[in-house]
Amino acid sequence: MNTVKIAPSLLAADFGNLQKDIEMVNQSEAAWHHLDIMDGLFVPNISYGMPVVKAIAKFAKKPLDAHLMIVDPDRYIQTFADLGVYLLTVHYEACTHLHRTIQAIKSSGMKAGVALNPHTNVELLKNIIGDLDLVLIMSVNPGFGGQSFIPNTYDKIRTLKQMIKEHKAAALIEVDGGVSMENAAKLINAGADVLVAGSSVFKSKNPSGTITELSRATNT
Ligand code: DX5
Ligand code: ZN
């Protein structure tokens, strides 16, 4: 049995005291720091940009998992590589030449991921699955933290897991949006390898304890 990775989303952290929340993640059982970059065009919200990522990178001790919710992400691949990002995920819906974008991410030394909106069929990744390090399945419409989990995610994970197996591919499956102890075990059971959690971690009384609980959600 593989242990699931937990990637707390800093979007739900205290922006007045980011260092404190980053250090909580450093000390916790989290695997990665999840960074949500929004441009107000691809999604109806703006989160934070390069100076904040630079500040996060200064204190973060775990790999940076950056989720770009921006149009034309090719423009910033090298910038994120220079900032020390470990894994860069772009949206399927934002890339006209996805294969080229993925190769560019890898040539810049980062791992490459593709995110799918809730309406996007996982079958669309058939011809590129072997090139991906990760597929991020959005379980809410991207743009905001604290939204309700969309249940068709379970089927998408199962279909994707099957596709990865058939292609003998190595891509990890990450699930992002509305993840909590209510659905963690079921997501792991369906085949999720990485769980992103914002509100359920940072709004809990004991964020570090919640990360531990999520990472041990039993997958039976
Ligand atoms: C939403 C972001 C998520 C978000 C998750 O567009 O991609 O990473 O921060 O937040 P919760 O866990 O609160 O749904
Ligand atoms: Zn995200």
Side-chain angles (χ1 to χ4, degrees), residues 9-12 34 36 38 43 67 69 136 138 140-147 176-179 196-200:
S9 163
L10 287 171
L11 194 62
H34 185 80
D36 289 298
M38 306 177 185
V43 288
H67 174 195
M69 285 159 274
L136 184 161
M138 285 303 310
V140 298
N141 284 294
F144 303 92
Q147 304 181 80
D176 186 2
V179 172
V196 176
S199 314
S200 66

Side-chain angles (χ1 to χ4, degrees), residues 111-203:
K111 302 260 181 215
V114 171
L116 302 180
N117 276 339
H119 74 275
T120 306
N121 194 325
V122 295
E123 307 279 354
L124 292 166
L125 294 180
K126 250 186 191 160
N127 294 322
I128 199 166
I129 193 69
D131 293 311
L132 304 179
D133 296 302
L134 177 139
V135 177
L136 184 161
I137 297 188
M138 285 303 310
S139 38
V140 298
N141 284 294
F144 303 92
Q147 304 181 80
S148 308
F149 178 84
I150 301 174
N152 84 348
T153 306
Y154 300 117
D155 279 346
K156 290 178 78 171
I157 297 172
R158 283 189 278 262
T159 309
L160 178 60
K161 197 75 176 179
Q162 189 58 32
M163 186 198 295
I164 290 170
K165 230 191 226 165
E166 277 165 18
H167 288 76
K168 298 188 173 48
L172 295 177
I173 302 178
E174 182 171 43
V175 182
D176 186 2
V179 172
S180 70
M181 282 308 286
E182 301 284 302
N183 50 30
K186 205 169 162 192
L187 289 169
I188 298 167
N189 202 28
D193 303 296
V194 187
L195 300 179
V196 176
S199 314
S200 66
V201 166
F202 289 99
K203 310 289 180 223

Side-chain angles (χ1 to χ4, degrees), residues 71-87:
V71 296
D72 197 6
D74 298 61
R75 294 170 295 162
Y76 298 111
I77 291 172
Q78 195 53 50
T79 308
F80 284 105
D82 294 343
L83 285 166
V85 165
Y86 164 73
L87 188 153

